[in-house]
Amino acid sequence: MKGAILRNRLSPYLFVSPAMLLLVTFGVFPIFVALAVSFTNMNISAFANIRNVKFVGVDNYVTLFGDADFWQALANTGIFALVGVPAIVVLSLAVALLLNRSDHPFFRALRSFYFIPAITAIVAISLIWGYLYNTQFGFLNYLLSLVGVEQVQWLSDPVLAKFSVALVAVWRGTGLNIIIFLAALQGVPKDYLEAASLDGAGEWRKTFSITVPLLRFAIFFVTVTTIISWGQFFDEPFVLTDGGPLGATTSVSIFLYKEGFRMNQFGYASAGSIVLFAIIAIITVFQLRARKADDEY
Amino acid sequence: MKRILKNALAPVVIAGLALSLGGCASDPSPSAAEGPLTVWVMGDSGANFESLVAPFVTETGQEIEVVAIPWDSIDEKLTTSVASGAGPDVLQIGLSKLRSFADAGALLPLDDLLGDYPGLAPANFPSGVSGDATSVNGEVVSVPWVSDTRVLFTRTDILAANGIDAPPTTWDELRADAKTLTSRGSGQYGYYIPQWDAPLPIEMTWSLGGDVIDSDGNVDFDTPEFQDAVDMYTGLYADGSVPTNGDFDQTQGFISGVAPMLVSGPYLGKAITDGAPELDGKWQASLLPAGTSSTSLFAGSNLGVWANTDQQDASLELLEYLAEPETQLEWYSLSGELPTVSAALGDEDLNSDPNVAVYTEQLASSKVLPLVSNWDSSVGTELLNALNAIALTGADRDDTLAGFFAKTEGLGID
């Protein structure tokens, strides 16, 4: 009898343990490794001889906060998030609302159409967009030349490059979020909408007074995950511009990648990754706190 | 293919894992000297290299697996392979990376081994190629493989059509000619500066009589000659003689005549010959423009043996094969990269091509970049950022340079 009780108590832990083990190994443990490494001067010579690693205290953090490139990367990431998060949330919500209006096969085909960017390899995407954006031979400049517009330097102009890169990321990021919104739209009770129709509410009124408020949790979820992904923004600028021109598209992740993998300054890159982790954690916690409890429906 | 790492912590994870695995990675397994030799070649010449070593494979029965590493992901590849302990057996190393590779402990010291391989003896190579250019901290860690120098390529037909009889021989002439050629019309340029070409400003500094290393072996850009080089570099942009878009294609620009002058290596000559045979006789290579001298860059590649390889002998035999003059000449015809072995460099057939004569003459007055760790990714990147900021975004010249001097100050060879 005693064994059975023990087994019942233990079984939930047994079920979650594989997931927990993975989480701890690949999610939590590296953060502590990074924290430890961030207090050292570790670089590539440590591979030749481990004695080349020295404890340097908070030196890396002091250097980091005095590094103009890091501030530029932080500012870029901020700009990307400010432009990208509202763009993705509004755009995917709008598309989801439109797609949800009908179950016609055409609309179902459209759903997969919007989802394609989310599952296409980033390298393929960057190749295509790289050609579209190319200053001399690009399709976009060809179209513009038809109406007499001079060559636009989509990826070479420091200001424009930010938006060109962000545009690709928005285009790529909406697909998944549209699917999330569509799923949430299935959960909006039909009787609320019918009751509103009986009361004489129009389409706009129903959308903004019933559907959107009931999507609150989905909007919150999409916003939080989108903010986090823009905080770690990496793929698009990495393959399209490699952080250039002149660091205009260098996000914090790209800055860390370059410091770690190109300059081989692992201690310094770790300090940066801890700072990025802290920023994202603070923003996320703040959002969770600010959220009001969901109304039941 | 570049690895896309989403996780900002990834560099650290790998570093952390390497620390914990370091112990097991370093003891080479005594057996297992069988299996193919893995060779890393840089750039996109993997297929060419496979046909180059085909006779060696047939003769010795030693299988060879060639992996082509794109130039712009070498640093990442090095870091991950050193960290994981899973490197190749033989690898090509660009000279500017030699120091970083050696610092990482990735290269096998060859001093005691070269005696058994007469083909690799330093005496077979020109002294500028074999000495310091193969060793780090007094240890030989590599052998010379290909010579790369930078010369001026010009479209003589376009120059002549615009009243320019001969390629410019000084930087001032080049700037004036570039201006003339740019005035051909909208969308036409006189010269092309690759925005990623960090050695170019240094070649300019050298040819204007300066250096970027002071007498103590420290990086020092704060010299009048470098200031002149900056004025030349940014002046070409200020004249509107250079395309400002970063995605400009230099080969296409040269072949189409949009940018009929540029400084590049012998492989550009090969690319033009292969890609635009109709231009034969309408372009030529000439010595780098001079200020006081025509000093260019020696940016060859070396070959090294991975420190943890379990196939030392086979690796060195391959290096010996690759150092044979016939192999090196074959490589030139396959890839357009010049030999390093003196016997091959002096080959009559090779030098009957007037462009090759220019390359070899230029090689005689070429210098290597200072062997500072991380030269490409620290000094080179900072240099390009500073110059491009002035040229492309109109940043204040003196402030930007002051910031650049401060960032590179104190970096030394030792």
Side-chain angles (χ1 to χ4, degrees):
Chain A
M1 275 322 249
K2 213 177 174 188
I5 291 169
L6 198 61
R7 225 174 14 246
N8 282 340
R9 277 206 194 137
L10 280 180
S11 49
Y13 296 100
L14 200 67
F15 280 115
V16 297
S17 58
M20 285 300 290
L21 203 66
L22 286 174
L23 183 71
V24 168
T25 315
F26 295 107
V28 182
F29 175 66
I31 294 170
F32 286 100
V33 174
L35 191 64
V37 172
S38 75
F39 296 114
T40 70
N41 69 345
M42 183 170 168
N43 58 32
I44 199 158
S45 64
F47 295 136
N49 187 345
I50 195 76
R51 269 178 228 108
N52 288 334
V53 180
K54 286 196 180 61
F55 181 78
V56 294
V58 294
D59 279 11
N60 283 329
Y61 292 91
V62 174
T63 318
L64 194 65
F65 288 117
D67 188 340
D69 293 342
F70 180 67
W71 287 108
Q72 188 189 14
L74 271 181
N76 286 339
T77 308
I79 294 170
F80 282 134
L82 279 178
V83 175
V85 174
I88 286 192
V89 173
V90 171
L91 204 66
S92 16
L93 183 57
V95 173
L97 287 169
L98 289 172
L99 287 181
N100 196 46
R101 296 180 63 80
S102 164
D103 233 357
H104 188 272
F106 174 68
F107 280 77
R108 272 191 305 213
L110 270 186
R111 289 181 198 187
S112 18
F113 174 75
Y114 280 106
F115 195 61
I116 284 173
I119 53 167
T120 310
I122 176 66
V123 177
I125 288 175
S126 74
L127 264 178
I128 302 293
W129 280 91
Y131 283 127
L132 291 178
Y133 278 142
N134 187 289
T135 311
Q136 286 165 283
F137 317 110
F139 183 64
L140 293 180
N141 278 353
Y142 170 72
L143 288 183
L144 288 177
S145 75
L146 295 181
V147 290
V149 179
E150 287 272 306
Q151 286 189 345
V152 178
Q153 303 199 345
W154 298 103
L155 296 174
S156 302
D157 180 85
V159 178
L160 194 58
K162 275 197 184 71
F163 292 93
S164 306
V165 167
L167 176 68
V168 178
V170 168
W171 172 77
R172 200 162 91 98
T174 42
L176 184 67
N177 293 318
I178 289 171
I179 301 298
I180 294 173
F181 279 132
L182 278 172
L185 282 167
Q186 308 292 316
V188 174
K190 292 270 187 299
D191 34 352
Y192 285 20
L193 296 170
E194 280 162 16
S197 296
L198 288 178
D199 288 344
E203 284 296 318
W204 287 106
R205 185 64 199 251
K206 278 194 289 180
T207 304
F208 286 104
S209 299
I210 298 174
T211 313
V212 172
L214 286 177
L215 287 178
R216 192 189 297 147
F217 181 74
I219 295 173
F220 173 75
F221 176 79
V222 166
T223 310
V224 172
T225 51
T226 307
I227 288 180
I228 291 176
S229 69
W230 283 97
Q232 300 177 338
F233 191 39
F234 182 88
D235 296 357
E236 287 83 359
F238 182 68
V239 291
L240 280 171
T241 59
D242 196 28
L246 299 170
T249 57
T250 301
S251 64
V252 177
S253 292
I254 289 193
F255 171 82
L256 297 178
Y257 180 80
K258 286 189 167 173
E259 292 293 334
F261 274 99
R262 301 229 172 115
M263 313 273 283
N264 292 314
Q265 297 177 326
F266 305 121
Y268 191 56
S270 300
S273 71
I274 294 293
V275 172
L276 177 62
F277 172 75
I279 292 173
I280 292 178
I282 289 168
I283 292 175
T284 309
V285 168
F286 183 76
Q287 284 176 295
L288 289 171
R289 284 284 163 79
R291 186 168 80 94
K292 294 191 206 103
D294 276 320
D295 297 322
E296 286 295 325
Y297 58 82
Chain B
M1 198 59 53
K2 278 176 181 174
R3 281 189 58 208
I4 310 300
L5 297 163
K6 284 190 172 175
N7 196 330
L9 295 171
V12 175
V13 178
I14 288 172
L17 288 176
L19 276 180
S20 53
L21 295 176
C24 6
S26 59
D27 63 344
S29 55
S31 62
E34 300 295 310
L37 271 184
T38 310
V39 181
W40 283 359
V41 294
M42 304 302 169
D44 50 8
S45 48
N48 286 339
F49 195 84
E50 272 174 17
S51 56
L52 181 75
V53 296
F56 177 80
V57 174
T58 327
E59 195 183 311
T60 61
Q62 171 67 54
E63 278 180 63
I64 291 175
E65 194 186 326
V66 179
V67 184
I69 316 275
W71 281 113
D72 55 357
S73 56
I74 293 170
D75 293 307
E76 291 88 335
K77 193 73 184 168
L78 167 71
T79 312
T80 44
S81 53
V82 170
S84 65
D89 298 298
V90 172
L91 75 163
Q92 181 187 356
I93 313 138
L95 265 181
S96 58
K97 307 276 182 199
L98 187 64
R99 176 68 187 259
S100 303
F101 275 63
D103 281 353
L107 300 175
L108 188 72
L110 301 173
D111 297 86
D112 304 334
L113 302 166
L114 288 180
D116 299 336
Y117 298 91
L120 301 174
N124 297 342
F125 305 92
S127 58
V129 175
S130 61
D132 292 343
T134 57
S135 49
V136 172
N137 295 334
E139 267 185 334
V140 176
V141 289
S142 59
V143 295
W145 164 229
V146 289
S147 301
D148 172 18
T149 188
R150 303 290 155 88
V151 295
L152 179 69
F153 288 87
T154 44
R155 280 287 299 274
T156 40
D157 57 335
I158 296 180
L159 266 65
N162 289 274
I164 304 166
D165 303 332
T169 55
T170 68
W171 286 106
D172 288 326
E173 271 178 46
L174 181 132
R175 186 167 167 185
D177 290 350
K179 225 171 164 173
T180 311
L181 293 166
T182 303
S183 64
R184 284 179 296 159
S186 152
Q188 304 288 319
Y189 301 93
Y191 185 73
Y192 171 59
I193 295 179
Q195 285 172 27
W196 34 262
D197 186 9
L200 179 65
I202 294 169
E203 290 152 25
M204 287 178 170
T205 310
W206 283 339
S207 59
L208 292 168
D211 203 352
V212 295
I213 289 278
D214 66 15
S215 51
D216 299 329
N218 289 318
V219 173
D220 180 16
F221 280 96
D222 199 357
T223 61
E225 292 85 3
F226 178 71
Q227 299 273 3
D228 292 346
V230 172
D231 291 337
M232 180 57 59
Y233 187 97
T234 55
L236 283 161
Y237 276 104
D239 296 344
S241 301
V242 182
T244 52
N245 49 314
D247 50 14
F248 189 85
D249 185 312
Q250 63 173 22
T251 314
Q252 204 50 47
F254 189 83
I255 290 173
S256 67
V258 169
M261 300 197 290
L262 78 154
V263 165
S264 186
Y267 38 81
L268 181 71
K270 167 87 173 160
I272 300 165
T273 313
D274 289 355
E278 72 278 8
L279 286 184
D280 190 32
K282 296 179 179 171
W283 63 276
Q284 76 172 74
S286 47
L287 293 182
L288 196 75
T292 56
S293 69
S294 159
T295 309
S296 184
L297 171 77
F298 179 76
S301 289
N302 291 354
L303 291 169
V305 179
W306 194 255
N308 287 338
T309 181
D310 48 14
Q311 306 200 70
Q312 253 184 41
D313 294 338
S315 301
L316 284 160
E317 272 160 32
L318 177 65
L319 294 193
E320 173 104 339
Y321 168 77
L322 292 172
E324 284 170 18
E326 302 79 53
T327 319
Q328 297 222 324
L329 287 170
E330 173 70 10
W331 185 242
Y332 174 74
S333 68
L334 285 170
S335 72
E337 292 185 310
L338 284 178
T340 43
V341 175
S342 305
L345 268 177
D347 184 79
E348 274 181 30
D349 278 354
L350 185 71
N351 283 290
S352 63
D353 179 342
N355 287 331
V356 176
V358 171
Y359 304 151
T360 44
E361 188 186 347
Q362 186 74 73
L363 271 177
S365 56
S366 294
K367 297 210 292 189
V368 295
L369 288 172
L371 287 182
V372 172
S373 201
N374 277 335
W375 176 276
D376 282 355
S377 40
S378 59
V379 181
T381 306
E382 294 295 348
L383 175 59
L384 287 179
N385 279 348
L387 290 181
N388 288 337
I390 299 171
L392 298 171
T393 64
D396 183 78
R397 178 186 181 279
D398 294 337
D399 286 355
T400 311
L401 288 183
F404 169 61
F405 297 152
K407 274 185 176 167
T408 50
E409 200 187 306
L411 287 172
I413 295 178
D414 298 316

